Amino acid sequence: MAASIDELPPRVLSGIQPSGTLHLGNYFGAMQQHIALQDEFPGQSYYFIADYHALTTLRDPAALRQNVFDVALTYLACGLDPDKALLFRQSDIPEVTELTWLLSTVTGMGLLERAHSYKDKVAQGIKPVAGLFFYPVLMASDILIYRSSLVPVGKDQVQHIEMTQDMATHFNETYASEAPVLRRPEWRLSKTPYVPGIDGRKMSKSYGNTLPLFLSGKKLKKAVGQVVTDSTPLGSPLPLTRTNDEGETTKENVYALLELFCDDAELAQIRGWYQAGKRDGQDFGWGHAKQFLAGKIEAHFAQARARREHYLAHPEEVEAVLERSAKQARALARATIDDCKRACGLR
Ligand code: ADP
Ligand code: TRP
């Protein structure tokens, strides 16, 4: 190994599963932060499309291929700069599965049995295949193989990062106590860890309550029109909260979505329209608030939509980014797996 793992530069890594059309929750909860980090860690930002992970739930080859392309396209459209950040397919780095095995030999069954996400997925009716149970080991390998120091994720993934920390420590203690070969990563939560869906629950493709990123025009207006609002009309002294189906008090949905797009001054103005039921002397009701939101969404993603059109017309450019990034990521992965194999006595 060239340098001790403590001397390595900070390195950001995150993955997103290609399991369906990306929505506002994915963007504000994950992608936006990933893209912003490319400026904080230029040349050390690694993002990948977790296609091996997706196989634990998606068994339609054509859909998987399409989803992988969509995720790549969406990152590039939303501003991922391939000169600053890598974007690659998980399955293009076979060393990841090699390290998964090595990690499994130091991972207690109890650790995996405690994973919330496995239990949640099984409770949702997903078939409890071994791969689903093993998911956190593959995820730890994704992180450790690039010796990542920082992993931006949503709240639901924090336990997986804690498991990754345990696996790194166990591996080092078991095989490399003198000169550790794996680096312990830290997690970082996005600033917007909760985006409500059109029904007020967390926006998620499993709830069918999403606003896809690239809707526009009439389709966007129609989708935003379905956002569930309060039965009290605007103009009465409204609390900016509502009670959802689970009895929890949450922010009023339209306002919570507007918060993603508006600065403080604009939000103050919007609160004024809500309270008065008027905007510039004209009536302002829920329908107007939703139209305003649709306009904000449309404008926010206008540039991304244009870039998306470009990449849709040039899919070979998307593929070139994936391949170039994989080549670079793989060199790093190879070095880590060589160190790990040597540490275990496999070399
Ligand atoms: P979904 O719930 O639609 O299946 P994923 O679990 O694939 O979404 O999430 C991919 C990424 O997007 C994760 O980092 C997750 O934390 C983030 N994310 C998904 N939905 C939301 C949401 N409603 N609010 C904030 N972040 C979200
Ligand atoms: N499990 C993550 C999710 O569902 C995706 C993922 C796979 C990931 N490997 C990762 C995220 C490594 C961060 C780091 O969102």
Side-chain angles (χ1 to χ4, degrees), residues 194 200-202 207 243-249:
Y194 185 92
R201 290 189 292 171
K202 182 178 164 156
Y207 297 148
T243 307
N244 68 18
D245 292 343
E246 282 99 50
E248 298 157 342
T249 304

Side-chain angles (χ1 to χ4, degrees), residues 10-330:
R11 184 169 297 139
V12 179
L13 169 122
S14 198
I16 193 155
Q17 284 200 61
S19 42
T21 306
L22 294 169
H23 51 74
L24 289 184
N26 298 137
Y27 178 74
F28 287 103
M31 297 178 73
Q32 187 188 42
Q33 166 164 246
H34 297 170
I35 294 168
L37 285 168
Q38 71 188 1
D39 292 315
E40 211 181 310
F41 301 94
Q44 298 295 346
S45 299
Y46 286 55
Y47 301 118
F48 69 93
I49 305 167
D51 49 2
Y52 274 145
H53 275 113
L55 283 179
T56 58
T57 51
L58 180 64
R59 301 207 171 79
D60 175 343
L64 180 59
R65 223 168 276 129
Q66 181 62 42
N67 290 350
V68 168
F69 180 71
D70 271 356
V71 174
L73 184 71
T74 306
Y75 264 103
L76 291 169
C78 289
L80 181 128
D81 177 348
D83 290 329
K84 293 182 185 162
L86 300 187
L87 178 67
F88 53 97
R89 274 179 291 250
Q90 182 183 33
S91 61
D92 280 344
I93 319 291
E95 289 78 7
V96 164
T97 54
E98 247 182 302
L99 182 60
T100 303
W101 178 255
L102 298 186
L103 292 174
S104 79
T105 66
V106 294
T107 304
M109 286 293 285
L111 188 76
L112 297 182
E113 277 160 2
R114 285 191 290 279
H116 305 307
S117 98
Y118 173 74
K119 291 183 220 165
D120 292 349
K121 284 180 180 165
V122 173
Q124 276 171 37
I126 296 174
K127 196 173 168 201
V129 291
L132 197 62
F133 185 70
F134 223 62
Y135 186 110
V137 192
L138 179 59
M139 179 156 165
S141 176
D142 290 326
I143 297 169
L144 299 173
I145 200 138
Y146 309 110
R147 293 179 164 131
S148 323
S149 55
L150 188 65
V151 189
V153 281
K155 252 194 241 153
D156 55 325
Q157 297 299 317
V158 169
Q159 191 193 31
H160 286 149
I161 314 299
E162 289 169 349
M163 294 165 91
T164 303
Q165 294 172 333
D166 283 355
M167 289 182 220
T169 303
H170 284 147
F171 190 90
N172 286 337
E173 281 174 356
T174 309
Y175 296 118
S177 56
E178 302 279 299
V181 285
L182 295 177
R183 189 191 214 182
R184 235 178 107 91
E186 301 298 331
W187 43 268
R188 187 193 278 186
L189 287 184
S190 103
K191 287 192 201 76
T192 339
Y194 185 92
V195 175
I198 55 178
D199 59 358
R201 290 189 292 171
K202 182 178 164 156
M203 188 177 288
S204 170
K205 56 188 165 303
S206 22
Y207 297 148
N209 64 354
T210 65
L211 290 171
L213 273 193
F214 292 115
L215 282 187
S216 64
K218 274 193 190 145
K219 283 190 182 155
L220 174 63
K221 283 194 181 133
K222 189 166 171 225
V224 173
Q226 289 165 353
V227 175
V228 175
T229 49
D230 210 281
S231 49
T232 321
L234 288 176
S236 0
L238 272 178
L240 284 167
T241 56
R242 65 185 291 273
T243 307
N244 68 18
D245 292 343
E246 282 99 50
E248 298 157 342
T249 304
T250 59
K251 281 226 173 97
E252 188 283 305
N253 293 333
V254 180
Y255 186 79
L257 289 165
L258 281 167
E259 278 186 327
L260 302 169
F261 299 96
C262 302
D263 61 22
D264 288 346
E266 212 169 6
L267 287 170
Q269 199 178 33
I270 293 166
R271 286 196 297 275
W273 302 339
Y274 264 57
Q275 303 294 345
K278 298 260 179 227
R279 177 185 174 188
D280 302 332
Q282 307 281 325
D283 283 347
F284 186 82
W286 288 115
H288 300 103
K290 289 178 184 178
Q291 267 177 41
F292 185 76
L293 172 62
K296 284 283 169 192
I297 299 175
E298 181 113 32
H300 189 89
F301 293 108
Q303 211 189 351
R305 208 171 291 116
R307 268 197 296 254
R308 182 168 181 270
E309 291 302 320
H310 168 84
Y311 285 114
L312 270 176
H314 300 280
E316 72 288 354
E317 291 182 22
V318 178
E319 186 55 33
V321 170
L322 294 176
E323 285 179 19
R324 192 155 27 96
S325 297
K327 207 167 160 206
Q328 215 177 314
R330 204 171 166 196

